[in-house]
């Protein structure tokens, strides 16, 4: 758990501190956005909490809200 209450907006400093403290940013790149929930679940189970989704994933902007709703307290998502 990253310690964020549901619906809390993260400020820039807390985001940077989270990135520094975790030290690893995972990058997901896939041709099928249906894989994202399972991949995120596996990363979370392995202790990885910082996730970047590449903009090459089809319909990734539509997939992000679903992921954030399920994992938003425990994972920090970015787009690139």
């Amino acid at each position: 758990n990253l310690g964020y209450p549901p619906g809390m907006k993260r400020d820039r400093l807390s985001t940077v501190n989270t990135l520094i403290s975790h030290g690893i940013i995972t990058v997901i790149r896939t041709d099928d956005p249906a894989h994202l929930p399972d991949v995120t679940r596996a990363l979370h189970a392995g202790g990885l909490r910082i996730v970047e989704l590449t903009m090459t994933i089809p319909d990734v902007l539509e997939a992000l809200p679903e992921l954030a709703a399920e994992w938003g307290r425990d994972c920090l998502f970015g787009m690139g």
Side-chain angles (χ1 to χ4, degrees):
N1 185 319
L2 295 178
Y4 297 113
M8 176 186 158
K9 297 249 182 209
R10 298 177 182 131
D11 63 36
R12 185 176 292 187
L13 181 59
S14 67
T15 299
V16 169
N17 286 334
T18 298
L19 291 169
I20 291 169
S21 69
H22 281 74
I24 296 174
I25 300 171
T26 58
V27 178
I28 300 175
R29 185 175 192 173
T30 179
D31 293 333
D32 186 352
H35 294 222
L36 294 174
D38 289 336
V39 172
T40 302
R41 191 172 297 107
L43 292 171
H44 183 269
L48 300 170
R49 303 290 192 264
I50 312 298
V51 180
E52 178 179 330
L53 306 173
T54 64
M55 293 298 292
T56 59
I57 300 170
D59 302 319
V60 70
L61 294 176
E62 288 77 24
L64 182 60
E66 179 182 328
L67 292 173
E70 183 172 352
W71 299 102
R73 286 195 68 200
D74 293 329
C75 294
L76 178 63
F77 291 96
M79 307 285 289

